[in-house]
């Protein structure tokens, strides 16, 4: 019967270069999961992955949105942006590889840990990127 | 449930305004039937509502001096910040001495116990290899905040005794030695700057028994002030570092070394805890977090301006040695049981049901204006949506939703009033795109209802 219920869906716009609001989306997802009562370990993984995906949009794109689809069994985060895309995904997945400009790195971001962190937290990760168009990252985390 | 709270409402004084509901860090207050009701499971006794209430309708209930009568030997445990309220009027020895004129037989400074706790904290940090940062357990409002709003951080609360509880243990032991009386004949009374400590002193806890009573500072402020001039002298045994715990930064200063961060004011504490949850601050070893502005000197039951009190406390203890070299033997382990979460904000115990409620909550919130005005008695639109989903409120509690319903209804009434029986109808009415039948009326109300979900636009 629970399977028949549609997932709870949250859509959160993310603005490029907005470092004051950057992180608010992940915080909102976390708050919703907490109030619903997911286990802290699951929430932590979702929150970290969502935060990294959100900051990727803030730092590297021209803006986009986070979409969270939540069911009792699985949490899916889809981060979609318009921007330069990722020319070499394998390279981008390497720890320490970053294309963030210097001023961003000086702010403490862009250490090349974003995607590797997401991979560590996610049960499934799919990256679909069109150079020059944008990137869609799909993160799946199971509640088990 | 069975949870004692010191913060209460004085109904007569409450005017039903919305100041307190909007400042409560756990959204624990609702205005119902013109009075601000506290949701007990959510309240952390931080005292923000006491501070903000323009009518002084929120109060903290603690023990009075009559509670001393139950014990044969009574020890006062003044909080480090306590003396700041009288500094400038008398020296430290006479401020402590004034307590002896109120019915206490002895004074045990919590500042002294704080020095023992600081030393133990230093040792704990030296050997700690777990998740960072650790968070100080000293402020019970912050501990409550973590239990209710940041349950994933409970494991980062330093599992050590607080200075208040340790002072109670040391004072009881000293009382037994001094009098030969059994421990139960010794009464220990914490003199509290805040409601959270009153509540903390009353909670049954594993490990270490706390004080036998907690007396709010405001309740004895006048008595002490009056007696300062004629008070006997009572020597201080604590050092300046112990007294430093009375203001923000003092706890960290007495622990020393390392990367220690201090934050004060509960809304600033919330910001820091939110960031710790996100994984920030991992390079910080320890966080001294205090709910009140300026730390305990800014306690909701303190009389003086917090910033003046901080200055006075520093000046009063300037002449003291930095710390005691021969600290008292703590008389047993200082370890405390881990703090447990208080999931008071959970929508439902069953996850699938909670998720369904969250979906309704999100949908309901989207229909509310987003002004967060508080007129409905809930602190903001999201909280009202939550109250609706919990079955404790309805959407027409929102004055804007209600107004819109009234408008739709009024338009229907006007439309109905235009209708004439066929025998009286004018032939030209049918010409301006409106049919004179019943079907025309229902078409008209359609768009009116359709507009109603978007009052925020």
């Amino acid at each position: 019967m629970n399977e028949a219920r549609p997932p709870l869906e949250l859509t959160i716009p993310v603005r490029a270069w907005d470092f004051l609001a950057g992180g608010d989306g992940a915080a909102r997802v976390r708050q919703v999961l907490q109030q619903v009562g997911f286990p802290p370990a699951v929430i932590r993984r979702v929150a970290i992955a969502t935060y990294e995906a959100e900051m990727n949009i803030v730092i590297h794109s021209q803006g986009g949105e986070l979409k969270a689809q939540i069911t009792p069994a699985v949490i899916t985060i889809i981060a979609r942006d318009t921007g330069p895309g990722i020319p070499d995904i394998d390279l981008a997945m390497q720890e320490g590889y970053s294309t963030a400009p210097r001023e961003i790195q000086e702010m403490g971001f862009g250490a090349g840990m974003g995607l590797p962190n997401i991979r560590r937290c996610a049960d499934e990760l799919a990256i679909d990127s069109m150079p020059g168009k944008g990137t869609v990252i799909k993160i799946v985390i199971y509640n088990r | 449930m069975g949870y004692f709270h010191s913060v209460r409402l004085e109904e007569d004084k409450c005017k039903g305004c919305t100041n307190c509901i909007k400042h409560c860090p756990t959204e624990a207050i609702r205005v119902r039937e013109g009075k601000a009701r506290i949701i007990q499971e959510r309240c952390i006794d931080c005292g923000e509502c006491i501070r903000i209430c323009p009518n002084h309708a929120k109060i903290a209930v603690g023990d009075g001096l009559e509670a001393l009568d139950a014990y044969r030997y009574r020890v006062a445990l003044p909080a480090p910040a306590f003396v700041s309220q009288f500094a400038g009027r008398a020296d430290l020895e006479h401020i402590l001495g004034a307590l002896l004129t109120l019915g206490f037989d002895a004074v045990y400074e919590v500042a002294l116990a704080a020095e023992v706790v600081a030393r133990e904290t230093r040792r704990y940090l030296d050997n700690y290899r777990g998740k960072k940062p650790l968070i100080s357990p000293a402020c019970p409002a912050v501990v409550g905040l973590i239990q209710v709003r940041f349950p994933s951080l409970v494991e980062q609360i330093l599992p050590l005794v607080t200075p208040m509880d340790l002072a109670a243990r040391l004072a009881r032991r000293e009382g037994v030695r001094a009098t030969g009386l059994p421990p139960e004949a010794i009464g220990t009374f914490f003199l509290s700057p805040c409601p959270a400590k009153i509540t903390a002193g009353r909670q049954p806890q594993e490990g270490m028994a706390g004080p036998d009573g907690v007396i709010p500072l405001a309740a004895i402020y006048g008595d002490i002030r009056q007696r300062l001039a004629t008070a006997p002298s009572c020597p201080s045994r604590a050092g300046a570092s112990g007294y430093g715990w009375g203001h923000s930064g003092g706890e960290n200063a007495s622990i020393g070394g390392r990367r220690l961060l201090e934050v004060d004011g509960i809304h600033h504490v919330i910001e820091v805890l939110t960031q710790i949850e996100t994984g920030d601050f991992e390079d910080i070893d320890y966080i001294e977090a205090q709910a009140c502005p300026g730390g305990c000197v800014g306690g909701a039951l303190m009389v003086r301006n917090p910033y003046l009190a901080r200055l006075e406390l520093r000046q009063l203890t300037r002449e003291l040695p930095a710390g005691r070299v021969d600290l008292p033997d703590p008389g047993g382990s200082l370890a405390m049981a881990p703090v447990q979460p208080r999931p008071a904000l959970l929508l439902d115990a069953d996850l699938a049901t909670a998720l369904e409620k969250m979906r309704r909550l999100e949908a309901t919130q989207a229909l509310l204006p987003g002004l967060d005005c508080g007129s409905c008695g809930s602190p903001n639109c999201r909280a009202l949506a939550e109250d609706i989903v919990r079955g404790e409120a309805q959407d027409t509690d929102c004055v804007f939703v209600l107004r819109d319903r009234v408008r739709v209804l009024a338009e229907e009434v006007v439309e109905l009033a235009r209708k004439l029986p066929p025998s009286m109808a004018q032939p030209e009415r049918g010409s301006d795109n409106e049919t004179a039948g019943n079907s025309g009326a229902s078409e008209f109300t359609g768009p009116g209802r359709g507009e109603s979900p978007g009052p925020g636009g």
Side-chain angles (χ1 to χ4, degrees), chain B residues 218-449:
Chain B
I220 50 171
Y221 175 80
D223 289 331
I224 295 173
R225 228 184 107 160
Q226 215 169 37
R227 291 155 200 250
L228 283 176
T230 55
S233 171
C234 172
S236 164
R237 294 180 288 173
S241 73
Y243 272 106
W245 284 59
H247 58 72
S248 173
E251 176 184 346
N252 279 351
S254 82
I255 295 167
R258 308 176 172 280
R259 276 171 69 77
L260 313 175
L261 182 138
E262 58 254 10
V263 51
D264 58 297
I266 196 147
H267 295 285
H268 298 145
V269 171
I270 289 170
E271 282 174 37
V272 168
L273 294 177
T274 304
Q275 281 188 268
I276 296 175
E277 273 199 328
T278 317
D280 286 354
F281 293 91
E282 276 179 345
D283 59 336
I284 302 287
D285 292 297
Y286 188 71
I287 296 200
E288 173 208 302
Q290 301 196 307
C292 295
C296 297
V297 287
L301 305 180
M302 297 292 251
V303 175
R304 269 191 173 167
N305 174 283
Y307 304 100
L308 176 64
R310 179 167 59 190
L311 172 73
E312 296 286 12
L313 181 59
R314 284 195 183 130
Q315 295 206 328
L316 187 72
T317 56
R318 199 174 37 191
E319 306 296 316
L320 295 178
R324 277 267 298 251
V325 189
D326 52 334
L327 284 173
D329 167 27
S333 166
L334 298 184
M336 292 296 283
V339 175
Q340 298 300 316
R342 270 168 63 194
L345 303 179
L346 220 54
L347 285 178
D348 201 283
D350 173 62
L351 191 126
T353 312
L355 192 61
E356 187 53 35
K357 286 184 178 172
M358 181 57 79
R359 198 212 326 268
R360 274 166 46 214
L361 193 163
E362 293 279 338
T364 306
Q365 188 191 0
L367 301 179
L368 296 174
L371 279 175
D372 295 340
C373 70
S375 301
C376 58
S378 302
N380 50 59
C381 293
R382 188 171 178 86
L384 174 62
E386 186 185 329
D387 291 344
I388 292 169
V389 167
R390 289 182 192 273
E392 286 153 11
Q394 47 197 9
D395 62 348
T396 48
D397 291 352
C398 170
V399 290
F400 300 96
V401 171
L402 181 68
R403 182 176 165 277
D404 204 57
R405 294 274 167 84
V406 170
R407 180 180 63 78
V408 169
L409 187 64
E411 282 167 358
E412 282 179 30
V413 169
V414 167
E415 183 57 25
L416 283 172
R418 283 213 192 100
K419 294 196 181 307
L420 293 170
S423 60
M424 295 169 71
Q426 307 278 321
E428 61 267 28
R429 267 201 81 215
S431 65
D432 55 34
N433 260 345
E434 250 181 71
T435 19
N438 282 333
S439 59
S442 62
E443 254 170 51
F444 180 72
T445 55
R449 286 193 193 282

Side-chain angles (χ1 to χ4, degrees), chain B residues 79-132:
Chain B
F82 168 85
V83 297
S84 70
Q85 303 297 292
F86 310 99
R89 300 182 197 282
D91 59 18
L92 184 57
E93 284 70 26
H94 288 91
I95 296 170
L96 298 176
L99 293 169
L100 300 174
T101 68
L102 289 183
F104 291 105
D105 299 296
V107 174
Y108 199 102
E109 296 154 281
V110 175
L112 182 55
E115 289 178 45
V116 180
V117 173
R119 183 183 61 188
E120 191 68 14
T121 303
R122 210 176 302 133
R123 289 177 184 161
Y124 195 94
L125 291 177
D126 281 340
N127 299 313
Y128 183 70
R129 297 288 173 270
K131 205 164 185 336
K132 288 203 295 185

Side-chain angles (χ1 to χ4, degrees), chain B residues 45-269:
Chain B
D45 298 283
C46 64
E48 281 296 300
C49 54
I50 296 180
R51 227 190 292 278
I52 203 74
C53 179
N55 307 308
H56 301 285
K58 285 288 195 329
I59 53 161
V61 177
D63 293 298
L65 285 172
E66 67 283 353
L68 272 61
D69 298 342
Y71 301 90
R72 287 168 64 192
Y73 187 79
R74 291 79 62 104
V75 191
L77 312 174
F82 168 85
V83 297
S84 70
Q85 303 297 292
F86 310 99
R89 300 182 197 282
D91 59 18
L92 184 57
E93 284 70 26
H94 288 91
I95 296 170
L96 298 176
L99 293 169
L100 300 174
T101 68
L102 289 183
F104 291 105
D105 299 296
V107 174
Y108 199 102
E109 296 154 281
V110 175
L112 182 55
E115 289 178 45
V116 180
V117 173
R119 183 183 61 188
E120 191 68 14
T121 303
R122 210 176 302 133
R123 289 177 184 161
Y124 195 94
L125 291 177
D126 281 340
N127 299 313
Y128 183 70
R129 297 288 173 270
K131 205 164 185 336
K132 288 203 295 185
L134 281 168
I135 304 165
S136 167
C139 174
V142 169
V143 171
L145 178 73
I146 293 172
Q147 289 177 292
V148 172
R149 267 188 68 172
F150 300 91
S152 71
L153 297 182
V154 288
E155 60 200 43
Q156 279 167 261
I157 299 174
L158 177 77
L160 289 185
V161 68
T162 63
M164 172 178 81
D165 289 345
L166 179 62
R169 178 206 273 188
L170 297 174
R172 198 172 291 119
R173 186 182 66 187
E174 199 173 78
V176 168
R177 282 185 191 157
T179 62
L181 291 168
E184 57 273 16
I186 314 288
T188 55
F189 292 87
F190 182 69
L191 309 180
S192 180
C194 69
K197 282 283 187 194
I198 299 178
T199 301
R202 293 278 185 90
Q203 296 317 314
Q205 53 193 5
E206 292 170 49
M208 188 168 314
D212 298 297
V214 183
I215 300 174
L217 169 102
I220 50 171
Y221 175 80
D223 289 331
I224 295 173
R225 228 184 107 160
Q226 215 169 37
R227 291 155 200 250
L228 283 176
T230 55
S233 171
C234 172
S236 164
R237 294 180 288 173
S241 73
Y243 272 106
W245 284 59
H247 58 72
S248 173
E251 176 184 346
N252 279 351
S254 82
I255 295 167
R258 308 176 172 280
R259 276 171 69 77
L260 313 175
L261 182 138
E262 58 254 10
V263 51
D264 58 297
I266 196 147
H267 295 285
H268 298 145
V269 171

